[in-house]
Amino acid sequence: QLAEGEVGHITVRAPSTTKVLCQQFADLTGGGSTVAMLRLDETYGTYGTHSCQFQNTLTVHLSPSYPLLAGTYTLQVVVLNPGIRAVRDFWA
């Protein structure tokens, strides 16, 4: 477990030829159970809890008022398939 405010943001980076559909982001942790989901800051991002600064990134903004509990989280990130394969086809 990490104390509240210790981690503020988590960024998912797709290959540069990919376009993230920011509006489609969802936290599916625990089958949608709000108890199991990440506690996100609803006032920070462009879309309330998250933002997409670049076409191939999605950043979720964690609430500074809650700790980040140890566990496995399932985040849905939707992307458009690129017209050509990326030279470095990896996600970070």
Side-chain angles (χ1 to χ4, degrees), residues 47-63:
Y47 294 94
T49 58
H50 60 284
S51 55
C52 294
Q53 184 176 5
F54 302 105
Q55 79 166 8
N56 66 320
T57 64
L58 178 130
T59 301
V60 293
H61 308 289
L62 303 174
S63 174

Side-chain angles (χ1 to χ4, degrees), residues 16-55:
S16 61
T17 57
T18 305
K19 173 146 179 47
V20 173
L21 299 179
C22 208
Q23 305 91 326
Q24 301 288 331
F25 167 76
D27 185 346
L28 304 177
T29 306
S33 166
T34 55
V35 174
M37 291 179 177
L38 289 170
R39 300 291 182 115
L40 301 179
D41 187 344
E42 296 184 13
T43 63
Y44 192 93
T46 306
Y47 294 94
T49 58
H50 60 284
S51 55
C52 294
Q53 184 176 5
F54 302 105
Q55 79 166 8

